[in-house]
Amino acid sequence: MIQMDSFRHKGMRQRLVQELRRKKITDTNVLNAIGRVPRHLFLESSFVSFAYQDKAFPIAAGQTISQPYTVALQSQLLNIQAEDKVLEVGTGSGYQAAVLIEMGVKLFSIERQKELYLRSTKLLKSIGYNGRYFLGDGYEGLPTFAPFDKVIITAGAPFIPKSLLLQLKIGGIMVIPLGDKKQVMTRITRMAEDDFKQEQLGECAFVPMLKGVVN
Ligand code: SAH
C-alpha cells in the first residue's frame, strides 16, 4: 500500500495542512496526523484532486467522508492525550479513525452499516491502522469496553445518548454534533459522576445518526 502514497500526494497534504492552520486549527498533533494520513485512499475512487481539498465527499451507502476541517476541529476539541481510550461513533470511510490512531490513541470505532464496516475495516487494517472495529449501533456504545477518555460522534445526533454519557470517564470529553437537519458542534465534559459541562461551538452539517444495524 505504501507505493500508493506518492510525493505528489504528500505535497498536496502539506498544502491542506497549511489551509487548516489558516482556518485556526492549532493542535500540532492534529496537524501532523492530517499530514500523514493518505486521505486519497479513503475516497471511493482515487480522484486525487478531490482528496486534498477541504471538502466533504460522498462514499458508499449514501454516506460522506467528513470535511478535513471538521475532522481536524473535532479531533482538536477532544484535547487528545497519548494513549487516550477513544470511542468513535460512525466509522464511515475510516478517515477520522486513521487520524485519531495517528495521534496515538487506542481507538474503538462503531459503524451501523455492514457494507461500510467491512470495507473500511479492511482498508484501515491493510494500511496499518489497527483500532478495534465493531458493527453495531452507536447509540448503545460499547459498555464492555467502557469507560472511555473521549467519545467522538461523527453523525448528527438528535439528542445526547444517555448511555454514551455514562461511558465517559470523570474528566472525559464527548464531542457531538447536536441537532436534526443542521447541528451545533457541542463539547461535553464529565466534571463529576452527575455533573456535565456543555459548550456550544458553532454550526455544522452531518449525515444523521440513525438507530439499529443495516446488514
Ligand atoms: N467518521 C467518518 C464519518 C462518516 S459519516 C469518516 O471519517 O468518514 C457518519 C457515519 O456514521 C456513517 O457511516 C453512518 O452510517 C454512521 N452512523 C450513523 N448512525 C450511526 C449509529 N447509530 N451507530 C454507528 N454508526 C452510525
Side-chain angles (χ1 to χ4, degrees):
M1 277 287 184
I2 287 296
Q3 73 279 12
M4 292 173 71
D5 191 29
S6 67
F7 282 114
R8 183 153 168 261
H9 297 133
K10 290 194 179 81
M12 287 191 287
R13 264 202 308 280
Q14 288 320 311
R15 281 199 290 282
L16 172 62
V17 168
Q18 291 313 323
E19 186 173 346
L20 296 175
R21 270 187 217 279
R22 282 197 297 278
K23 293 178 176 171
K24 307 279 183 274
I25 299 298
T26 52
D27 184 330
T28 51
N29 198 9
V30 173
L31 293 166
N32 289 340
I34 289 185
R36 283 194 296 266
V37 178
R39 188 169 187 264
H40 59 283
L41 301 181
F42 292 84
L43 300 187
E44 239 196 293
S45 40
S46 297
F47 281 129
V48 169
S49 50
F50 291 107
Y52 296 106
Q53 290 179 15
D54 190 19
K55 288 189 181 140
F57 208 78
I59 53 170
Q63 302 304 314
T64 51
I65 176 170
S66 301
Q67 184 184 347
Y69 174 75
T70 306
V71 171
L73 179 67
Q74 284 196 287
S75 305
Q76 177 165 285
L77 290 172
L78 285 172
N79 189 22
I80 293 294
Q81 309 296 316
E83 301 295 311
D84 267 356
K85 206 169 134 189
V86 180
L87 172 64
E88 177 191 30
V89 173
T91 314
S93 68
Y95 178 67
Q96 171 78 72
V99 168
L100 288 168
I101 292 171
E102 278 285 358
M103 291 176 72
V105 316
K106 289 188 215 121
L107 186 77
F108 295 74
S109 185
I110 316 179
E111 172 56 53
R112 69 184 284 274
Q113 298 212 40
K114 191 172 189 182
E115 180 187 351
L116 284 174
Y117 160 77
L118 290 174
R119 188 193 292 233
S120 302
T121 301
K122 189 171 159 208
L123 170 66
L124 284 161
K125 288 182 178 161
S126 75
I127 52 177
Y129 291 117
N130 296 314
R132 307 272 305 261
Y133 305 111
F134 302 83
L135 175 65
D137 184 351
Y139 276 101
E140 287 159 26
L142 291 173
T144 337
F145 297 94
F148 297 95
D149 296 290
K150 311 284 159 66
V151 174
I152 172 172
I153 317 286
T154 70
F159 57 88
I160 305 167
K162 180 99 191 288
S163 52
L164 295 184
L165 280 182
L166 298 178
Q167 290 174 36
L168 265 184
K169 284 185 191 168
I170 309 289
I173 297 173
M174 175 188 295
V175 174
I176 177 169
L178 264 183
D180 281 322
K181 290 226 168 66
K182 271 195 169 181
Q183 297 87 31
V184 174
M185 190 63 82
T186 306
R187 175 160 65 180
I188 299 164
T189 308
R190 188 172 199 177
M191 310 301 287
E193 188 67 27
D194 292 317
D195 181 13
F196 296 89
K197 179 179 87 177
Q198 205 168 312
E199 299 162 271
Q200 264 98 34
L201 301 148
E203 280 200 358
C204 51
F206 282 79
V207 296
M209 181 167 171
L210 301 171
K211 290 203 167 141
V213 170
V214 182
N215 275 297

